[in-house]
Structures are given as C-alpha cells and as structure tokens.
Amino acid sequence: MAELVYIDEQKAQAGQVLRSAVASGEFTQDQVWAISPESTLEDTIQQVIELHCKVLITDYRLSDHKPDVEFNGADLVRAFRDRFADFPCFVTTSFPDQAIDETLDTNMVFPKSDFLNREEARNSDLPFFKRVRKKIAEHDRQVEAAKAELERLSSQALERDLDAGETQRFIDLDGYLESVLGAQFAIERHVKVRALEPFDRLIGQTEELIEKIKSELGQPKDRGES
C-alpha cells in the first residue's frame, strides 16, 4: 500500500518529487508512488482509490504535456475531497498564485521550491514532507477516535436504549465516518435500527400527543388525513 501518491503528467518531475519525499526522511521508498493522470477525473480518482493511500499530492498543471487531460490539480483535489471529506491533499506547483486563485484552501498549496530546492527545504521551519506526515497523523487520529467512540455507542445500543444525547452523537459520528471513509464504511443495519429505536418511538409519541391536543381543542386534523 502506498502511503503517498503523487500525480504528474511528467515522469521525470514525478520521480524528482518522490526522491525528495524519501530524502526528507519522512517516507521510505516503498511508501511513495507516482501515477500519471488519466484523461478524466473519475478514472484518475479510481486510480488513487485503488492504491489505498493516506495522502494525495498532485501537480497543479496536468495537461501541459498531456493535452487530453481535462482537469487540473485543483479540480482533482476538490473532486476527491467531495468523495472523501477532509482527506489529506496537497497541490504543488511552480505557479502558486494560479492555484490559490482556484479557491483552494491556501494550506493545501505549496510551491515546488519548498521541497525541490534543498537549501530552502533545509531552512524551512516546517519542511513540506514533515508537514505532510503530520497531516496524515492528525487525520488518522481523528478517524480512529471517531471509530472507537462509534463502536462503543454501537455496543451500548445493542444492550440498552441510548439517551437523546447519545443518539445524536451516534448519528453525527456515523455521518462523519461515512463522509470521510466513503461507502466502504458502514455500520451494520441492525445496529443502526437498534440505536435509533428510542428516537423513533419518541417521534411517534410526540406526533400522537400533538394529535391528542388538537382533538381536545377541537382543531381539524392535518390535511390529507382521513
């Protein structure tokens, strides 16, 4: 499994970036991988998914030497994070002003000189690949903490009714993990049903109470009711 995937249409440039990643001491040779972009966003994203990486780094201009590519690095990052929210992504470029104008988070955009120029990399307070490694660790901690909490609530839901606060937290964590990990993550349906049973009962009881109050006040029932 590649931890770091770098995308560039120029093989020589990609090799230089990977060598810099290894030279930084933050990654080993078997943890880095370079791929060339496919012509479509969907096919390129599928390539990345199949590598099960922990961080995606892409060059900004992907069609200079491959004119059939119909997107740039900023487009790729936005589309990938639409599918996997908060996934660690970076855009590297010799044209940082252009990439920043793409409405990307400025913390994702870095000039290649930050790591291809050894002198500048050495003088940096937080070298690029150290920043990348810290971002991976931060993301992993958040996901693992959410998984652990959701597993705890799931176990409790099988033993007893969750209270209102626990139920809302269960829903929030389930939604967060599905947005971060994609369709590959899903709590088993019977656990979800069991966890939400008290919530569903409360809604039903509330609706019955509303109808009872309306009846006692002589108000008409909601339209559409017989």
Side-chain angles (χ1 to χ4, degrees):
M1 180 186 75
E3 287 199 19
L4 181 158
V5 168
Y6 178 69
I7 300 180
D8 200 314
E9 88 278 29
Q10 296 185 73
K11 188 174 181 179
Q13 185 75 228
Q16 190 177 6
V17 171
L18 296 191
R19 287 192 295 273
S20 295
V22 174
S24 73
E26 300 295 335
F27 297 91
T28 61
Q29 187 66 51
D30 62 344
Q31 290 177 325
V32 298
W33 196 272
I35 59 176
S36 179
E38 298 290 338
S39 58
T40 69
L41 261 175
E42 184 57 39
D43 288 345
T44 304
I45 287 173
Q46 192 56 44
Q47 274 197 99
V48 178
I49 290 173
E50 290 171 0
L51 288 169
H52 304 286
C53 65
K54 291 192 171 184
V55 62
L56 169 63
I57 304 176
T58 176
D59 186 31
Y60 173 61
R61 296 171 71 162
L62 297 173
S63 58
D64 285 355
H65 298 269
K66 199 172 179 182
D68 64 320
V69 175
E70 50 191 43
F71 56 92
N72 61 36
D75 298 326
L76 175 59
V77 164
R78 280 194 295 268
F80 198 82
R81 283 168 66 90
D82 281 346
R83 187 170 301 189
F84 302 99
D86 297 332
F87 192 87
C89 291
F90 296 88
V91 176
T92 65
T93 178
S94 299
F95 310 93
D97 290 342
Q98 291 182 20
I100 289 174
D101 285 344
E102 290 271 7
T103 68
L104 279 176
D105 182 342
T106 55
N107 293 317
M108 294 183 188
V109 180
F110 289 86
K112 290 182 179 178
S113 59
D114 278 10
F115 55 91
L116 293 184
N117 183 312
R118 293 197 174 187
E119 186 64 29
E120 289 191 30
R122 191 161 38 243
N123 294 331
S124 173
D125 292 333
L126 185 57
F128 176 69
F129 288 108
K130 185 173 184 178
R131 190 186 302 269
V132 171
R133 176 56 76 186
K134 287 175 69 69
K135 189 65 177 178
I136 291 173
E138 176 186 299
H139 184 258
D140 284 349
R141 282 195 301 271
Q142 290 175 344
V143 170
E144 290 307 313
K147 280 183 178 180
E149 187 177 358
L150 185 57
E151 287 171 4
R152 177 180 62 79
L153 288 172
S154 297
S155 296
Q156 291 178 352
L158 294 174
E159 298 172 358
R160 63 170 177 81
D161 288 350
L162 299 182
D163 63 30
E166 290 172 327
T167 300
Q168 185 58 58
R169 184 60 177 161
F170 180 95
I171 294 169
D172 291 344
L173 287 167
D174 182 51
Y176 167 73
L177 287 170
E178 286 196 21
S179 71
V180 168
L181 302 177
Q184 63 190 21
F185 181 87
I187 292 294
E188 293 183 23
R189 179 174 173 77
H190 77 280
V191 176
K192 287 186 180 181
V193 170
R194 179 69 182 85
L196 297 178
E197 275 178 356
F199 190 68
D200 291 339
R201 285 201 301 271
L202 179 61
I203 291 176
Q205 290 167 0
T206 301
E207 290 175 344
E208 289 177 6
L209 179 59
I210 290 172
E211 290 306 313
K212 182 178 179 181
I213 292 172
K214 285 182 178 180
S215 176
E216 290 178 351
L217 293 176
Q219 293 183 6
K221 293 183 179 181
D222 290 335
R223 289 183 178 179
E225 295 182 0
S226 56

